[in-house]
Amino acid sequence: MGSRGFKIATIGSHSALQILRGAKDEGFGTIAVCEKERDEPYRHFGVADRIILLDSFKKFMEIENDLISENSIVIPHGTFLDAVTTEKIELLKVPYFGNKKILKWEVDRAMQREWLRKAGLTLPRIFRGPDDIDVPAIIKFYGAKGGKGFFLAKSRDEFDRKIEEHKGKAYIIQEYIVGAPIYIHYFYSPLSGEIELMSFDKRYESNVDSIGRIAAKDQLDMGLDTSYNITGNVPLVVRESLLPKIFEMGRAVIEASKKIEKRGIFGPFSLETVITPDLKFYVFEISARIVAGTNHYISGSPYTALKYKEPMSTGRRISREIRNAIASDQLCKVLG
Ligand code: ATP
């Protein structure tokens, strides 16, 4: 067996369905770690050979030895990082797919900016304080996850009025880029050295994506403010002539990651971008792991269909990489 008795384990949320399904497709046994009464999807879709139930994901460390005795390799995703936290992830003894050391470069907004700058990407301006707001700005809270509570302000006065209900929270003020949001899903193989373009999505956010359904006059009458709370993801293909630039940006991120952390980033990652009308990419965030926008492509995306002769989700691609690493005795190359 190509899996050599290893099992793929992850937390039951975010993108676990495709991670576990992909692992099975690649011949691995699978384990889903679920919160009590939230395990139905993992039973229903038959993706987990074993389900471990916890009162809360925060207790993940308590079952680490169980996972080790099962010969597990854990796969991180957004909920995993949130629940286990980067500090504890660094201490994990169970084999972990990806580079743990790169995570702090994602979590800390200032470090993330340094990384993206080193890659030579175009980033939205950051204002030192509300007095500097001279173009429309978006106010983002730290650890907001999913854009909850973010708001727009065009001036100090507007900022002061809107920040009232968020007193005490840490925030950054960023230039608001008007354009088309596009989230790019990449996979970088440390075995082949190749960057792969997996898919794209855009987010479906409440209420910003529904505000156009209300006439401008009514928006003003209702005193509506926009917010960016994520509710889902929409699949996307991009204008083909943009693809060379998209590959170039992904490669630049990988090269820069090797300058900030010896082994750099590997496995799946995503750039969150806005494309302006003159087709310039502004990058406002990087996710250094699988993103939920890839959930559309459990049976492959238009791009993976070009590269693979079989359905290839990002979840499956992770297990394919692990399988290839096992087969060539290079497992340590894909573990962090
Ligand atoms: P997550 O960690 O889930 O990606 P987050 O809380 O870090 O979310 P962001 O992804 O930075 O939040 O932003 C949430 C949303 O706000 C984006 O999807 C996008 O619609 C909008 N947004 C963020 N920054 C900008 C910007 N500079 N210009 C225009 N829109 C933006």
Side-chain angles (χ1 to χ4, degrees), residues 54-67:
L54 292 177
D55 292 332
S56 158
F57 288 142
K58 305 250 175 256
K59 298 195 168 166
F60 182 81
M61 298 303 271
E62 293 175 14
I63 53 122
E64 188 186 10
N65 284 336
D66 190 355
L67 293 178

Side-chain angles (χ1 to χ4, degrees), residues 10-21 42 75-79 289-295 298 315 318:
T10 196
I11 275 179
S13 186
H14 192 271
S15 45
L17 287 172
Q18 59 155 313
I19 290 172
L20 299 174
R21 163 59 54 209
Y42 308 94
I75 314 293
H77 52 55
T79 308
R289 33 87 194 167
I290 187 170
V291 291
T294 60
N295 283 340
I298 290 186
I318 292 170

Side-chain angles (χ1 to χ4, degrees), residues 14 106 109 112 123-125 136-148 150 152 172 174-179 181 183 202-205 208-209 227-230 272-274 282-287 289 291:
H14 192 271
E106 172 189 333
R109 284 198 198 272
Q112 178 175 131
L123 314 180
R125 269 167 65 201
I138 181 166
I139 290 68
K140 301 180 169 192
F141 299 101
Y142 279 73
K145 285 296 151 213
K148 195 163 178 221
F150 291 8
L152 299 185
I172 56 160
Q174 194 177 77
E175 174 189 10
Y176 184 83
I177 309 295
V178 182
Y183 291 69
K202 65 174 192 165
R203 292 196 176 172
Y204 192 49
E205 294 164 335
V208 72
D209 287 319
S227 72
Y228 297 82
N229 205 1
I230 184 151
E272 305 183 6
T273 72
V274 175
Y282 280 80
V283 178
F284 62 85
E285 180 139 332
I286 181 167
S287 295
R289 33 87 194 167
V291 291

Side-chain angles (χ1 to χ4, degrees), residues 13 51 95 104 109 133 141-142 154 178 187 193 225 228 239 262 269 304 313 324 334:
S13 186
I51 292 183
K104 59 175 180 290
R109 284 198 198 272
I133 299 176
F141 299 101
Y142 279 73
K154 292 172 292 305
V178 182
F187 187 97
D225 280 326
Y228 297 82
R239 191 171 163 167
K262 204 161 125 237
F269 68 99
T304 62
S313 68
N324 289 343
V334 302

Side-chain angles (χ1 to χ4, degrees), residues 159-212:
F159 173 87
D160 286 344
R161 188 167 43 81
K162 292 182 173 172
I163 200 74
E164 271 301 309
E165 62 179 282
H166 301 284
K167 279 263 153 32
K169 290 191 202 162
Y171 59 80
I172 56 160
I173 307 173
Q174 194 177 77
E175 174 189 10
Y176 184 83
I177 309 295
V178 182
I182 295 189
Y183 291 69
I184 311 167
H185 316 146
Y186 297 98
F187 187 97
Y188 175 61
S189 165
L191 302 178
S192 69
E194 188 177 42
I195 180 163
E196 294 175 33
L197 178 60
M198 302 303 287
S199 44
F200 299 96
D201 78 294
K202 65 174 192 165
R203 292 196 176 172
Y204 192 49
E205 294 164 335
S206 189
N207 59 9
V208 72
D209 287 319
S210 52
I211 221 145

